[in-house]
Amino acid sequence: MISTTKSGVRIFTEIMVQQGVRHVVCSPGSRNAPLVIAFDNHPDIKTYVVHDERSAAFFALGMAQALNEPVAVACTSGSALANYYPAVAEAYYQCIPLVVLSADRPQHLINQGDGQTIMQANLFGSHVHAYYSVDEDPKDIDLVKSGITAVLEQCNGPWKGPVHFNFPLEEPLYLTDEFGFEPFSAHKNETQKVAIDLDEDLISKWNDASKKMILVGQLPVDNRLSTILADISADPSVAILCETTSNIYHQRFNQCIDRSLTAIQRDKQSDFAPDLLITIGGAVVSKRIKQFLRDNKPMEYWRIGYDFPEMDTYFCKTKQLGMESETFLKMLKENSADMPRSNFGSRWKQIDYTNQEKLNTYKKTAHFSDFIATDIVLDSIPDPAYVHLANSTPIRYAQLFDGVKGLNYLSNRGTSGIDGSSSTAVGFSMIKKDELNVLITGDVSFFYDSNALWNAYLGSNLKIVLINNSGGGIFRIIDGPAQSQQLETYFEAFHSHSAEYICKAFGLNYYSAASAEETEQRVIELLSDHSAPGLLEIITPREVNALVLNEFFNLLKK
Ligand SMILES: Cc1ncc(C[n+]2csc(CCOP(=O)(O)OP(=O)(O)O)c2C)c(N)n1
């Protein structure tokens, strides 16, 4: 096989393949030529080319989500690597296995006036699970092999996340030769997951608690988990609270936390406060539930999972159980007593039913706005499909409407940045190329990450719904900026740009709408257009949006 003459790069490539990394997103440069040459020639590696490193890293993150396996990104030296930072942070907090590969100048050329040179060693600090510098021609090959293997295992272990390999490389960079690869000795370690039994103390606490709450954060679709939770929720003393991005469904689950919490009067809060709280899954979108549980701390709070063992979101954790959610919930179910202790779960569900009715009534009269546009769009997406919710109001509005089984909702809630939602959706949709992928985004997020469209991987299965409210509409909703003199200039940052010519530049079919009727019609046209990727720009009245939302919240409070 032809490959680079840099033996360190060749050894790395083989171990990477052995460890199950088969996809590498490369960004053009010269210093990373040995990496690109090794990957391009390797029969088990598929490479992709994305110029903008910030976009490339989010693109790879979306691919890793879709493939449910680690994906690598490889860039040249200097600021190229710094552009990976937002996606690395997102991967860290969302527990996504991203393998960052950077070419570097050799040590003696760092800080000596050479171009494209910054201090790359350990650039991502504690936002990566491990850092390793790979020698271009290592002397102690066994040591290097085990070092690389150990780092890759950290990327894809029980607690997944990004890792960084830096490659200081001397010129010449483009030399190749024919190499016969020896059968490789390092073997892929299967993840060691320790099955722990629930001790008697936990079981009796569970069975004795009369107000039990299971709060489910962000999860990929997992029907088995959904079924176990449904079984557990047959006990009326258990409330299961989840969000759109939890991707679990049952009529007994309370899916719209913010909607429910808005309807709970202050003096009734204690009726809805759990005495035992269990959390599973990743990030929780609702700020209200965080406040509610911090104000009404349960006696017991068990956090399930391997990730972030120090995390105590509700400031009352009594137990961290390092195990799979499914294993834990199964044991809980098997050990649950038959006698229901209260109707706590039904009480939560009752508010949900009442609110659903209020929502249906309100929708008929509400002014056209972000609220109505989001509802129409979400309602029009046929299942199955992947729905990518950009940060800011798209992810928040989506929490107010009941999710649809068959749709898989995703969002970059690791850091909640507005800088990579589109690139993530594009990377994801390239892998899931036979399925519909709909990105719902605000205008600021869209223009910010418009380089997401600057690559050769946009498919006709990618549909973007851009809700253009001429700026950061969220700042008209949240207390603080909404009342500030600086709102329009500094927070909302009003603008009047349109995406039409961006679509022309990158080959997307463009649609626009500015009323409920137009939105209903155009969204169908967008979703049924199989000829090319497409974008629907919905223009909403920026000064009305917040009023419509507040009116809805006021109705819930009545
Ligand atoms: C990288 C990054 N920069 C800044 C922010 C702060 N921020 C949060 S929402 C927002 C405005 C987003 O506007 P848009 O995408 O149009 O959505 P809308 O609020 O209108 O729904 C900003 C600037 C952020 N979350 N991430």
Side-chain angles (χ1 to χ4, degrees):
M1 184 197 311
I2 300 277
S3 195
T4 170
T5 53
K6 310 278 186 198
S7 66
V9 174
R10 289 197 315 274
I11 293 166
F12 175 82
T13 307
E14 272 309 296
I15 305 176
M16 189 180 86
V17 171
Q18 291 273 338
Q19 293 291 317
V21 184
R22 303 297 162 94
H23 300 262
V24 187
V25 180
C26 304
S27 294
S30 198
R31 191 60 52 171
N32 57 344
L35 292 162
V36 168
I37 289 166
F39 300 153
D40 185 46
N41 282 295
H42 200 291
D44 297 325
I45 295 179
K46 197 163 171 7
T47 50
Y48 309 81
V49 181
V50 176
H51 260 285
D52 176 335
E53 286 85 3
R54 177 160 62 84
S55 176
F58 277 110
F59 180 91
L61 186 135
M63 289 172 65
Q65 279 178 317
L67 291 159
N68 196 20
E69 63 182 48
V71 171
V73 275
C75 71
T76 191
S77 60
S79 59
L81 179 62
N83 277 293
Y84 281 164
Y85 216 127
V88 169
E90 180 62 32
Y92 179 70
Y93 287 107
Q94 216 188 129
C95 304
I96 294 178
L98 188 69
V99 183
V100 175
L101 311 176
S102 54
D104 199 355
R105 294 240 173 339
Q107 184 57 40
H108 69 273
L109 292 178
I110 310 287
N111 290 347
Q112 302 303 331
D114 271 18
Q116 261 182 271
T117 308
I118 65 167
M119 291 171 275
Q120 294 182 200
N122 218 349
L123 185 76
F124 303 109
S126 24
H127 288 114
V128 286
H129 285 212
Y131 166 79
Y132 193 89
S133 176
V134 184
D135 279 357
E136 60 176 0
D137 285 305
K139 305 281 162 294
D140 189 340
I141 292 176
D142 285 341
L143 188 73
V144 171
K145 281 180 176 176
S146 60
I148 296 171
T149 307
V151 169
L152 286 171
E153 282 173 357
Q154 285 204 52
C155 174
N156 204 26
W159 178 5
K160 298 184 195 312
V163 292
H164 176 200
F165 291 93
N166 196 42
F167 295 80
L169 297 165
E170 294 273 7
E171 291 179 28
L173 301 162
Y174 290 87
L175 294 185
T176 60
D177 210 337
E178 180 76 33
F179 296 94
F181 281 101
E182 303 152 24
F184 188 66
S185 57
H187 64 281
K188 185 167 169 18
N189 272 358
E190 282 313 315
T191 308
Q192 297 284 313
K193 285 176 182 161
V194 192
I196 313 168
D197 274 338
L198 284 190
D199 64 36
E200 284 303 319
D201 179 46
L202 291 187
I203 293 166
S204 57
K205 277 181 174 150
W206 168 254
N207 284 324
D208 291 347
S210 60
K211 298 192 289 175
K212 302 183 258 271
M213 178 185 284
I214 302 179
L215 174 60
V216 186
Q218 183 163 16
L219 285 174
V221 170
D222 184 339
N223 292 333
R224 289 216 309 253
L225 198 70
S226 205
T227 307
I228 305 170
L229 283 166
D231 287 349
I232 293 176
S233 72
D235 175 347
S237 66
V238 182
I240 310 264
L241 268 59
C242 53
E243 302 192 312
T244 323
T245 37
S246 311
N247 290 302
I248 57 165
Y249 303 91
H250 193 273
Q251 74 259 21
R252 287 193 293 267
F253 300 167
N254 191 312
Q255 234 197 1
C256 299
I257 302 177
D258 279 354
R259 207 171 69 180
S260 297
L261 280 173
T262 308
I264 298 172
Q265 310 290 336
R266 268 216 151 263
D267 60 336
K268 294 277 185 306
Q269 284 197 354
S270 60
D271 295 345
F272 293 88
D275 41 38
L276 168 56
L277 168 70
I278 295 172
T279 60
I280 61 169
V284 167
V285 178
S286 171
K287 274 173 114 171
R288 288 174 200 233
I289 192 71
K290 289 176 195 155
Q291 198 54 53
F292 178 82
L293 291 168
R294 284 171 186 171
D295 291 346
N296 298 277
K297 292 189 175 59
M299 305 269 286
E300 289 284 331
Y301 165 31
W302 308 341
R303 185 175 184 277
I304 317 302
Y306 297 101
D307 60 319
F308 302 102
E310 255 89 83
M311 193 178 279
D312 181 11
T313 309
Y314 310 102
F315 306 140
C316 54
K317 193 169 67 172
T318 47
K319 200 100 193 156
Q320 172 83 29
L321 292 162
M323 60 170 96
E324 297 289 330
S325 302
E326 189 183 326
T327 315
F328 168 79
L329 293 171
K330 256 192 200 149
M331 288 194 279
L332 203 62
K333 174 70 197 121
E334 280 159 17
N335 291 289
S336 286
D338 289 338
M339 275 293 287
R341 308 282 303 187
S342 71
N343 64 350
F344 179 71
S346 323
R347 197 180 300 154
W348 268 95
K349 194 58 214 175
Q350 190 49 49
I351 333 180
D352 202 26
Y353 287 137
T354 315
N355 287 344
Q356 266 166 12
E357 281 165 28
K358 287 184 179 173
L359 173 68
N360 291 335
T361 317
Y362 184 63
K363 279 187 331 196
K364 291 183 192 134
T365 54
H367 198 285
F368 180 64
S369 56
D370 285 354
F371 183 94
I372 295 296
T374 309
D375 181 48
I376 296 172
V377 171
L378 286 171
D379 250 8
S380 313
I381 302 173
D383 64 87
Y386 294 96
V387 181
H388 303 264
L389 297 160
N391 279 308
S392 201
T393 64
I395 179 72
R396 297 199 173 275
Y397 276 114
Q399 307 304 324
L400 301 176
F401 308 107
D402 293 271
V404 176
K405 194 172 177 179
L407 298 186
N408 187 336
Y409 302 89
L410 299 116
S411 186
N412 278 348
R413 293 308 291 178
T415 67
S416 308
I418 56 165
D419 40 3
S421 302
S422 307
S423 296
T424 307
V426 171
F428 192 103
S429 67
M430 177 194 67
I431 297 295
K432 301 280 183 189
K433 60 178 186 309
D434 297 325
E435 283 145 289
L436 175 64
N437 279 259
V438 182
L439 164 68
I440 305 179
T441 177
D443 43 281
V444 177
S445 312
F446 176 76
F447 291 122
Y448 196 127
D449 189 23
S450 59
N451 275 354
L453 307 180
W454 180 28
N455 59 64
Y457 308 105
L458 306 184
S460 58
N461 63 328
L462 175 70
K463 304 295 173 197
I464 301 174
V465 175
L466 161 56
I467 300 185
N468 191 340
N469 53 24
S470 312
I474 194 154
F475 297 110
R476 287 187 174 267
I477 291 169
I478 51 178
D479 279 345
Q483 291 78 32
S484 160
Q485 291 289 311
Q486 283 75 30
L487 171 66
E488 204 167 275
T489 311
Y490 292 94
F491 301 113
E492 178 190 49
F494 168 73
H495 69 86
S496 43
H497 303 299
S498 153
E500 185 173 359
Y501 287 89
I502 294 186
C503 290
K504 280 213 167 84
F506 293 115
L508 283 84
N509 288 343
Y510 175 79
Y511 303 82
S512 71
S515 67
E517 295 70 32
E518 282 179 3
T519 303
E520 274 164 13
Q521 216 178 319
R522 298 284 132 71
V523 75
I524 307 262
E525 291 169 20
L526 172 84
L527 299 178
S528 54
D529 175 0
H530 302 298
S531 67
L535 181 145
L536 165 62
E537 183 164 31
I538 307 173
I539 312 291
T540 62
R542 68 190 175 106
E543 279 160 354
V544 174
N545 289 326
L547 302 177
V548 172
L549 183 65
N550 284 335
E551 210 180 351
F552 177 59
F553 283 143
N554 287 336
L555 181 71
L556 293 178
K557 287 178 195 153
K558 280 185 194 149

